Structure formats: C-alpha cells, structure tokens
Amino acid sequence: MRIEADYDRCEGHGQCEERAPEVFELDDDGNLVHHYEGRDLPAGLEDAARGAAAVCPVAALRVVETSPAPRT
Amino acid sequence: MTTVATAPHFDADIYTDQALREPYGHYRALRDLGPAVWLSAHDAYAVARYDDVKHVLATPEVFRSANGIALNEPANAAILGCTLASDGERHAHLRRIVAHRLTPRALRPMREVVTDAADALVADLVARGSFDAVGDLARALPLSIVPDFIGWPEEGREHLLRWAGANFDSFGPLNARTEAALPQCGEMAAYGARLVREGGVLPGSLGAGVLEARDGGEITDEQAMMLMLDYLAPSLDTTISAVGSAIWLFGAHPEQWDRLRAEPELVPNAVQEVVRLESPIRGFGRLAAQDTEIGGVAVPAGSRVLVLYASANRDERHFADPDRFDVARPDALEQLGFGFGEHGCAGQGLAKLEIAALLTALARTVRRFEVGAPERALNNLIRAFASVPVTVHAD
Ligand code: HEM
Ligand code: SF4
C-alpha cells in the first residue's frame, strides 16, 4: 500500500504528522514531507498511514492499494 | 451493491425552537433509521451517520455545493459563486485565493498577536471574577482579531455579528428565521460589493489580498465580492460558538479541566473534542447531480442532501461513548465538525489558534468554572449559547 500526496491541495494543517510522524512531516517552512513518496509503506506503518490519510482535513492524501511484491 | 433500498421517512421538523435546543435525540433517531433518511418536513435527505457523511463530503462530483449548500432556493441563489457554494475547477481556483492566507504557515505571524490578545483578555476577566463567557470572552477575542485580519473597515463593524448570524440562519429551510434573515444577508452582500467597488479594506489584510487578485485579473469583481463574503460570514459565529461551549463543558466536567491543566499539551485535542461534541455548524446541504446512493439507499438526481456533521460526530458506530466529553479522546481528530475534503474548513487553522490560545491562557490560572444558567441562541445552522454566566476561581 502507498499514499499519494496531492501537494497542491495540501494546506499544511499537519494532522497527518500528528497521526503518523514516521511517514509525514512538515518541514521548517511548513511544507509537507512524505517519507514514503512513491513507494510502498512497510507493514508496520500501514495502519498509521491510513489513519493519517483519514484525518487530513482537505483530503490531500489518497490510499493506493498495491498488490504485495511478488515472491520469486 | 446489489439491492438499492428506498429511504425511510422522518416527519418531524428538525428546525423548531425545541429541536434546535435539543437536536441530538433527533439525530440519533435519524442515524438509527438508516444511511439516508427522507425529511418530509424539509424535502431533503438527511445523512446522519459518520461513514455516510464522510462519503458525501469525499464525493463532490456527485454531491454538489453550487445550489446545494442551503435548504432553500433564495439563499442558494444569493451565495452562488462564493467558495463555499462552488464546485470543481472554479472552486479549486477560488479556494487557492481564499485559503492561501489562512494556512497554518501563513498564520505564523498571527500566532503572537492571538496569544497576546488571549492572555490580556483572560487576565482582565479573571481579575473581574464573574463574567459572561459568550459576550465577554467568546465574542471578545475573535472580534478583536478577525475583522482587522480580514481588513473590514471600522465603519460597518457594528453589523458584523448580526449579518453573520443572518447568513447562517438563511441556510435553513424557508421558516420564519430564514425569512427574517434573507434581507439582512442582502445588506451584507451590498456592503461587500461596496468594499470591492470602493476599496477601503485595511492594507495587508485578507480582504486586500482579494482586491489584489481582482486587480491582477485572477478573479472578477463579482468573484471578489463573493470571496469577501467567504471570509466575513463564517469566521466569527463558529469560533464564538466553540468557545462558549468549551466553557460550559468544562464547568460541567471539572475533572476534564483538571486533566487539561495537568497536561496542557492536550489543548489541541481538547479543541477537536469540543468541536466534535458541540459542533458549531450542525450541517450544510448538497445537491445530488445524478442518481446515486448513500449507504445503499437510493438518492435520485436533483435531491437535496443535508449533511449533518453534528450527528456524524456523535455516531456511536464510529466514536466510543460518543456523548461523553473526553479531552484525551484518542480519535477526536477524526471529527467532522470542520467538514472534510475539498470544502473542508479553510479557516480551521485560525479557529484552532484562537480557541487554543484562550484555553491555554485560562488553564494557567483558572482552577474552576462555576457556570450559572446558560441561555441558548437559536440559529438554523449554528449551535451556540447566547450567554453562559460564569464565576472563575483562580489558584
Ligand atoms: C470553530 C470554528 C469553525 C468551524 C466549526 C467551521 C466549520 C466549517 C465547515 C463545517 C465547513 C465546510 C463547508 C462544507 O462542507 O461545505 C467550513 C468551510 C469554510 N470555513 Fe469554516 N469553520 C470555522 C471557522 C472558520 C474561520 C475562522 C474561517 C475564516 C477565517 C472559516 C472560513 C471558512 C471558509 C472560507 C469555508 C469554505 C471552504 C470551501 O468551501 O472550500 N471558518 N467551515
Ligand atoms: S493533514 Fe493534509 S493538509 Fe495537513 S499537512 Fe497533512 S496532507 Fe497537508
């Protein structure tokens, strides 16, 4: 699972950071930093990341379900 | 979805004086009836459960705000074109202009202004001992900050609260409150139009930003006027309601006040909890643009949908023990009192800043709130007190 952030829509309310500080952070200028941009979240952070997407007040975070990496 | 159900009916008028005073019984009945319930008294589908409210707010292509916000045509026509009542690309364009100066980052310079004002106000009231938590506290802070911030000239400020209240009343069904309010909304619009025509907003303010956007060709005169209303109408009563409710709640739940004083880092969570439990805006409407369904209940194209944030926030399907006031509630952040998604409150950063500054200042010195008999203010949209007499006991 991944989270897609819409940076145009993000207004820096910071609620994602409160919920999942390991995944999202606001830098000193108040800009959103997404530590797992473009890649799958480790299993241990999935719930927190989902919670963060749910509490973004402007719905700037979208959960994208990806199939688990194929085992070879 | 395989089967689509027809909506159950609910016949009571949820805008009578009594219903506005005690809305939560009606909301529970609506939640228990189903995901979408036909309000025969108001020709609208009520959406009262948390998941369904969130679904409607997250699906703005289907549930439109233009011609949808109010439960009556004249009010919808009057606000058509403001950020609140626009959709899609047009909304995104206006929202960028409106929200730009209200983001937490843009508000940083305001932090000190708001904190200083809250500290001074609280010091004064604590010295007095007894005061009205609505008139002297909840109204005083936003009125000392917000009109300057928006840039409203001195002349006309005396009407702000009356106009803002009328604006919210006008969004209800066409009842006596709405009818009395509509002409006053006209006065506010005329004032906004004059500001756009003649200037006169304070330099460096949000209003000045709107006029710059107009001068730069980003928006038309008409849009500039609607944006002035976007700032004016929702920026006072909402915050005032939350502060009045907060004092009333802490008076009734001294153990929660003790907890907040012991752990002041809970203040932001407490603000969310107050907005959850006593949501200042009961609900806004939407217009279904196509045949759709809400939680498996059919909602035909052209239907009005009433999105009840205040009910979602007490939905026992989502919040544990939802009627309980708990400043440390772990999921208070999930409350929908500021709306959600594209139209999620643009001013929530400012509102949270103001409410948190007051609670923080009070927590430093006030040990107990002794609350007398409060009086409700009745408004179609806003849940608030007209007065909350209080005596504070300082350390
Ligand atoms: C406790 C205080 C407040 C509450 C509970 C509140 C609540 C809300 C809600 C529920 C909405 C969503 C509308 C929808 O779903 O259609 C909203 C939108 C909005 N609010 Fe607030 N509000 C508050 C304070 C403020 C303040 C202080 C301002 C301005 C400085 C403000 C400006 C706005 C604007 C401009 C919108 C329209 C956003 C859009 O449509 O994109 N609000 N508010
Ligand atoms: S909660 Fe949403 S708006 Fe706020 S910083 Fe995170 S992504 Fe941006």
Side-chain angles (χ1 to χ4, degrees), chain A residues 10-16 26 32 56-58 60-61:
Chain A
C10 167
E11 291 172 356
H13 293 288
Q15 297 191 174
C16 52
L26 291 180
L32 177 66
C56 171
V58 295
L61 302 176

Side-chain angles (χ1 to χ4, degrees), chain B residues 57-326:
Chain B
L57 296 175
T59 320
E61 335 62 85
V62 176
F63 300 101
R64 304 276 176 85
S65 290
N67 294 311
I69 289 290
L71 283 181
N72 70 83
E73 276 324 310
N76 276 325
I79 59 169
L80 191 64
C82 67
T83 311
L84 181 66
S86 56
D87 299 299
E89 272 309 305
R90 179 191 294 263
H91 169 264
H93 177 61
L94 298 176
R95 168 89 184 198
R96 267 192 293 277
I97 296 168
V98 161
H100 170 67
R101 286 165 186 246
L102 287 171
T103 63
R105 183 183 347 167
L107 287 171
R108 277 184 194 169
M110 284 294 283
R111 218 157 248 289
E112 208 179 327
V113 176
V114 175
T115 309
D116 290 351
D119 289 353
L121 177 64
V122 165
D124 186 52
L125 291 175
V126 169
R128 246 209 267 171
S130 295
F131 54 91
D132 172 10
V134 176
D136 300 323
L137 179 78
R139 280 194 201 124
L141 184 74
L143 277 179
S144 73
I145 291 166
V146 178
D148 280 340
F149 186 51
I150 296 174
W152 194 259
E154 287 296 333
E155 185 245 316
R157 283 190 185 188
E158 67 278 17
H159 303 299
L160 274 182
L161 283 178
R162 182 171 59 85
W163 287 343
N167 176 73
F168 281 121
D169 259 340
S170 78
F171 293 172
L174 265 185
N175 59 18
R177 255 185 295 275
T178 301
E179 277 164 16
L182 282 165
Q184 303 184 59
C185 298
E187 286 174 38
M188 175 164 74
Y191 195 88
R194 207 168 86 206
L195 284 183
V196 170
R197 218 171 38 242
E198 299 172 5
V201 292
L202 306 180
S205 62
L206 298 185
V210 167
L211 295 188
E212 280 160 28
R214 188 267 319 262
D215 295 339
E218 280 178 74
I219 48 172
T220 62
D221 268 1
E222 171 77 20
Q223 287 175 324
M225 187 205 122
M226 296 318 284
L227 293 192
M228 291 287 182
L229 301 186
D230 270 319
Y231 283 142
L232 288 170
S235 55
L236 294 167
D237 293 41
T238 48
T239 315
I240 294 168
S241 150
V243 173
S245 295
I247 303 305
W248 176 69
L249 284 166
F250 282 119
H253 303 277
E255 80 293 347
Q256 294 296 316
W257 186 245
D258 290 341
R259 175 105 197 242
L260 193 68
R261 295 196 76 195
E263 300 170 61
E265 65 280 8
L266 284 175
V267 164
N269 203 65
V271 173
Q272 298 278 356
E273 176 68 350
V274 168
V275 174
R276 183 191 71 81
L277 194 61
E278 289 294 333
S279 307
I281 298 185
R282 304 165 197 278
F284 276 128
R286 295 290 191 268
L287 185 70
Q290 61 188 65
D291 287 348
T292 183
E293 54 185 79
I294 296 174
V297 173
V299 172
S303 304
R304 283 188 198 295
V305 175
L306 177 63
V307 185
L308 289 168
Y309 317 107
S311 171
N313 281 342
R314 288 191 182 226
D315 187 354
E316 40 292 281
R317 293 158 194 78
H318 189 87
F319 293 105
D321 204 355
D323 297 335
R324 204 171 86 88
F325 179 49
D326 176 5

Side-chain angles (χ1 to χ4, degrees), chain B residues 352-372:
Chain B
K352 290 175 201 161
L353 180 59
E354 292 177 79
I355 304 164
L358 284 176
L359 291 182
T360 304
L362 288 163
R364 266 198 304 269
T365 48
V366 172
R367 184 167 39 82
R368 276 290 172 271
F369 298 102
E370 200 184 308
V371 172

